[in-house]
Amino acid sequence: MPDGQAFLEVKDLKIHFPTDDGVVRSVDGLNFKLERGKTLGIVGESGSGKSVTSLGILGIYNHRNSKISGEIWLDGKEIVSASQDDVRKLRGNQMAMIFQDPLSAMHPYYTVGHQIVEAYRVHHNVSKKVARKHAVDMLGRVGIPQPDRRVDDYPHQFSGGMRQRAMIAMALVNDPHLLIADEPTTALDVTVQAQIMDLMHDLQAEFNSALIVITHDLGVVAELADDVLVMYGGRCIEYASAATIFEQPEHPYTWGLLGSMPRMDRPVQERLVPIAGSPPSLINLPKGCAFSPRCVYEERTGGLGTTVVPELTRAGGTNHLVRCHLPTEERQRLWVEEVKPKLEA
Amino acid sequence: MLLFIISAATFGIFYLIPRLVGATPETLATRYVGRAATPETVHLIAEKLGFYDPLWLQYGRWVKAIFVGADYNLGATVEHCPAPCFGYSFITKQPVWPELVDRLPVTLSLAIGAAILWLLLGLSIGTLSALRRGSFLDRSAMTFSLAGVSMPIFFTGMVSLLVFSYTLDWTAPGGSYTPFTESPSEWAYALLLPWLVLALQFSAQYARLTRAGMLETMGEDYIRTARAKGLRERDVNVKHGLRAALTPILTIFGLDFGLLLGGAVLTEQVFSLPGLGKYAVDAITNNDLPKVLGVTLMAAFFVVVANLIVDLLYAVVDPRVRLG
Amino acid sequence: MMRKSRALVAGTAALALTLSAAACGGSDDKGSDSSGGAKPEFNAALTQVYNPSDKKGGTIRLANSGDWDTLDPGETYYGYSWNFLRLYGRGLLMFKPVPGAEGNTVTPDLAEGLGTPSDGGKTWTYKIRKGVKFEDGTEVTSKDVKYAVLRSIDKETFPNGPAYFEGFLNLPAGYKGPYKSKGVNTDSAITTPDDQTIVFHLKQAFGGFDYFAALPQTVPVPEAKDTGAKYKEHVVSTGPYKFETNELGKSFKLVRNDKWDAATDPNRKALPDAYEVQLNVNADDIDNRLLSGDLDVDVVGTGVQPATLGRVVGDPTLKASTDNPTLARLWYTSINPTVAPLDNIDCRKAIEYAADKVGYQTAYGGPLAGGEITGTILPPMIPGYEKFDLYPSADGTGDVAKAKEHLAACGQPNGFETNIAYRAERPKEKATAEALQQSLARVGIKLTLKPFPQGDYFSQYAGNPPYVKNNKLGMNLNGWGADWNDGFGFLSQIVDSRVIRETGGSSNTSVRIPEVDQLLDKASAETDAAKRDAYWAQIDKRVMEEAVILPGVTAKSLLIRPKTLTNVFVSDAYNMYDYLSLGVA
Ligand SMILES: Nc1ncnc2c1ncn2[C@@H]1O[C@H](COP(=O)(O)OP(=O)(O)O)[C@@H](O)[C@H]1O
Ligand code: SF4
Ligand SMILES: [Mg+2]
């Protein structure tokens, strides 16, 4: 790897969609790194640009109505500027993706086996028979009982959890070095969620791949991620190790996310304290700090919050970045004195 | 069952409507005698055609003949019309069933050839339009298909005959038809223009349907999955996109095709093809009840069968229907 | 909406292009055609032979926009079919296949000469030629003719055929034809003293029997081959052509009959080797194929479709390849004296004067396709016809002053109200009724339009006397064409009061003149043709004096002359091309 470059490096990634109403800045200057064997969690409310980011990395965007800039280095190869066909050859092979709703993400008219075989044969010049054996193996490895029989079933014949396992089997069939899981458990019920997360954890270890887990649920991140990137309005607002994010988070938005985390020890109605207000429009971001309309600490920045866009700057933890005008000390004080006690109450 | 309801309705329309305006068995019979026929002749024919009997009896007789056959007096001889006997024409005194059987291949040839063409044309134009939505190709294809849908076969048929058959001499003139069994090349030559004209009309409609269907399916999650697998764009479009968009089109195609088998009325009329559609028109203009009944029943039969096949095919095409 | 109309404009432009292209093709052909000698000009084949030739061989292609009514000589009842039938059947007499008025005279065919009347016209004797054979080689005898006539009487089997023989022959009571009345002695009606002689015995004298003898019902039918209603599938030929194929409802083909002997036949040229007839062909397509030379003859012979008419009228080159014969068909309006105030002759005359006949003509399609304005009931080709107009007007648009005079004389100086009936399915009749409504309104006669379904028009409405009276149908549109061009054939069904039935169904709705009935009887018994023909004009005038018929136009048709054929001329008997004489160029 040249100059100590990471396995995956995203530099100043921007993905904009010009529309009739204006330019949608779904991703606006994103940077991160990820090594093989490591897991990055990307967290944020719905609409913050998480899926667009992951699809952008895979090169799945309409080249005629979207504008992408920046750099994505995968294993030493830059893929934003690569040809569409080169990226296609990496897709499903070097890098693969697992989607949120396995029912709608699998083709209803083809058997599960067919779809896995297809995924394998795009990148491997083998007979259908060989590919099928591989598919059965894969289904077995993701924990589907009687895989040699279930391989001929259609997606709708599988239960939700099984479908997601099949989806994972399909993604891993080519042994990818980068796996992106976009809300892999959101559509599943709680007990199954845990099983799937365990499975992904095990498989990642087994394949030694880099894993990006996208979620709006910090619980998932807590279980899987090494590092966490919190996204808001198409930008990164806090980046740190998972431990830092849970122990000493510094951004008011991250605090809000922690507050809305479901907790097993509380009755249902008390678990969620959603952040007041709604996510910003990606066409017209609020002036200054994008979070300012919803931020209870906005007044403490002396007007800066509504006028100047805060930079992503070093914060208290190791490799810790935060985008907020408040000084680090004040953020740490607020966390320790005001926010944390409330969360633990 | 449905078929008998339809035939009974046809029967009723034929007899009851004239009766409402005061027709008698004799006035009905005047349609089947020459001009200046004597009242005796009219009476004779009314009797022969059974117009004096109550309606249910006439209908019962007709239904009975289908199952057990009937005898018809042709003057010099009495002919047995074996089951399925759809009666004898009031006017030409020919048995209806052999005529229907004789004309079916014409309509079948026309329908199958045109269907192949319009599916090829409609699906490819529609798919390309959807994929290049908003492009010049899309806009011109959609304008063309609007024109195709709105221009009547009478018009396109006559114009194409004038241009391609009578001026350029490329295609066969109207009224040519050679059975496939006699000469496949002449069969195709004679049907080429009718195929094209009929296909043009339908392909326009199918292009629009395909385009709409493709636009919808190409937004589905499983298309994104297919891309994420690294499939070539062509496979994504055809194997995953078109495949799913095809299902609703299949239903419409089944119905269209079934209807067409009952007779491509306008096309057969314009090109003077002796198929079921032309037969139906001639039968109706001549008030020839047995023919009308026969061809209506045949048409209804095809629609019913087409529906059935569509239902069966649907299960083949959409596994969710089969097993769910 | 925008796009749709634009597409239509584009399409229309394409059509216009192709039309002019087709027209160019027409003028090209003209150059090569002129070698035949005849100049392709309007009405070139109307009274003389166009492109005369004796060249044999070739195939003539004909098309029929409907089904053939029937090929059975015992049942067929259409002029075109009678015209064509002479190719495969020989009746006792036939209309002469020559151009001009002579074509409207009967001439011996199977018979050696015209009929010999005896018993004051109650008995008619014909001698049959020797050596005439069926297509299987058996010689035709008088018995075959007798059988043919008798079988045609079975109206249960042949309901569509003409009914003259059963009306006039002195048949045994209750006789129903040879199928049902098997073995019944019919010598009271027809005797065959020997194989060459056939004698018809009538109930009453009838001078025009030779016309009956020219009906296809006298074309011999071999009893052994007769299959009743199915005989039309395999008609046994006596003419120069026989059926090679016959697919009912689709097509048939005639080829040469080698048993036909030209020596027995002074009338037929038999030039082409074959005739191919297509049935149920789209009418507009027929016209296009005729113009492009892909087809020779529109066999029904009623003329071009409205779309083609427009093209022909606007293009001198096209028009030069057409003929415009007058038909023995009158479009007229009955004025019903059973409906007040039309019981008063002056009120009827007011209508005769007020009517705008130019409007009548326009409603029927103008002078080319509609017809010629007429003041008489008889069309001009009927022997004995005299031209007159009892209610003339300067330019044919009516004489308002005269009409008002008669209204005053009728005691309705300000006009009156009445109804006019027409067939709902016929746009031309509707247009005529509207034209009459307008022109009669000029003198205060108010017409209310009453459309009726054509299927029941005569049986239920306009031809049903009680209905006419109760619903005050003062006028009704009407039309008539004779079975053959003769006064009896033309007049007997529309001016004889005795054909009116109280139960409805008659074409005569308004003429009840005892004197006319007597004249008709006298004329029909007269065996001297010249004397007989003199009666017809007399009857015509008498009816017109009573003002119970308002003649509109004598119909005309526009025929596309086959440029591919020789010996083309319009038959005065059928008022279309003579199908017996055509040859292939
Ligand atoms: N093709 C596109 N055209 C316009 N806007 C888009 C397009 N794709 C995504 N967006 C917008 O980008 C924003 C981010 O979407 P997404 O990445 O799906 O959010 P999430 O964080 O919930 O995954 C959304 O507001 C969405 O409307
Ligand atoms: S910059 Fe101001 S508004 Fe934005 S998060 Fe920090 S405190 Fe809140
Ligand atoms: Mg998302």
Side-chain angles (χ1 to χ4, degrees), chain C residues 230-412:
Chain C
K230 285 175 83 102
Y231 182 66
K232 64 180 173 184
E233 294 173 24
H234 306 282
V235 178
V236 182
S237 163
T238 45
Y241 299 94
K242 62 181 178 186
F243 287 90
E244 185 184 68
T245 57
N246 183 12
E247 292 191 67
L248 291 181
K250 287 193 203 159
S251 64
F252 60 84
K253 184 174 182 184
L254 296 184
V255 294
R256 288 195 185 276
N257 168 16
D258 58 358
K259 296 294 183 309
W260 172 75
D261 182 0
T264 66
D265 197 332
N267 299 307
R268 292 171 175 81
K269 287 203 165 95
L271 295 180
D273 288 337
Y275 289 80
E276 279 176 4
V277 184
Q278 278 190 341
L279 306 176
N280 288 313
V281 179
N282 180 288
D284 286 304
D285 193 38
I286 288 183
D287 286 352
N288 286 331
R289 283 160 71 183
L290 285 174
L291 290 172
S292 74
D294 281 300
L295 183 73
D296 302 314
V297 182
D298 172 9
V299 71
V300 176
T302 47
V304 301
Q305 300 299 307
T308 318
L309 182 71
R311 281 168 67 184
V312 170
V313 169
D315 184 335
T317 323
L318 283 185
K319 194 175 170 188
S321 66
T322 59
D323 292 294
N324 193 204
T326 301
L327 311 181
R329 168 166 287 279
L330 174 73
W331 297 118
Y332 69 99
T333 302
S334 300
I335 305 175
N336 296 318
T338 51
V339 178
L342 297 172
D343 49 347
N344 184 318
I345 189 167
D346 278 301
C347 276
R348 300 200 295 268
K349 284 184 178 174
I351 291 177
E352 297 270 2
Y353 274 117
D356 169 10
K357 293 207 177 166
V358 175
Y360 214 120
Q361 185 185 43
T362 310
Y364 270 93
L368 270 191
E372 214 155 325
I373 291 172
T374 179
T376 63
I377 299 167
L378 288 175
M381 75 289 284
I382 304 286
Y385 159 83
E386 269 178 45
K387 191 179 170 75
F388 63 85
D389 189 353
L390 300 185
Y391 312 99
S393 68
D395 50 5
T397 56
D399 186 333
V400 174
K402 278 270 192 191
K404 283 189 173 150
E405 266 173 44
H406 283 282
L407 275 181
C410 170
Q412 306 272 356

Side-chain angles (χ1 to χ4, degrees), chain A residues 34-51:
Chain A
L34 184 62
E35 293 293 356
R36 288 187 65 172
K38 296 287 179 198
T39 300
L40 170 71
I42 301 182
V43 202
E45 289 167 301
S46 139
S48 55
K50 307 183 299 288
S51 295

Side-chain angles (χ1 to χ4, degrees), chain B residues 5-81:
Chain B
I5 295 174
I6 290 168
S7 67
T10 315
F11 206 83
I13 289 166
F14 182 84
Y15 283 106
L16 290 177
I17 293 195
R19 227 164 245 198
L20 287 181
V21 297
T24 60
E26 284 85 5
T27 46
L28 280 177
T30 49
R31 294 163 167 176
Y32 312 110
V33 298
R35 64 181 206 161
T38 59
E40 295 80 63
T41 303
V42 174
H43 177 78
L44 207 62
I45 295 306
E47 201 160 57
K48 177 170 174 162
L49 299 179
F51 291 164
Y52 291 110
D53 296 331
L55 259 191
W56 61 266
L57 190 64
Q58 295 185 46
Y59 181 66
R61 211 169 22 226
W62 179 76
V63 173
K64 187 180 159 205
I66 296 178
F67 293 108
V68 301
D71 288 329
Y72 285 85
N73 186 348
L74 297 171
T77 49
V78 172
E79 197 171 75
H80 180 67
C81 167

Side-chain angles (χ1 to χ4, degrees), chain C residues 18 28 81 111 152-153 165 269 315 317 326 337 350 366 369 424 444 453 484 511 569:
Chain C
T18 52
D28 282 352
S81 176
S152 78
I153 284 164
F165 284 111
K269 287 203 165 95
D315 184 335
T317 323
T326 301
W484 59 83
V511 190
F569 63 86

Side-chain angles (χ1 to χ4, degrees), chain A residues 17 19 24 26 45-52 282:
Chain A
F17 303 101
T19 66
V24 183
S26 299
E45 289 167 301
S46 139
S48 55
K50 307 183 299 288
S51 295
V52 172
L282 293 174

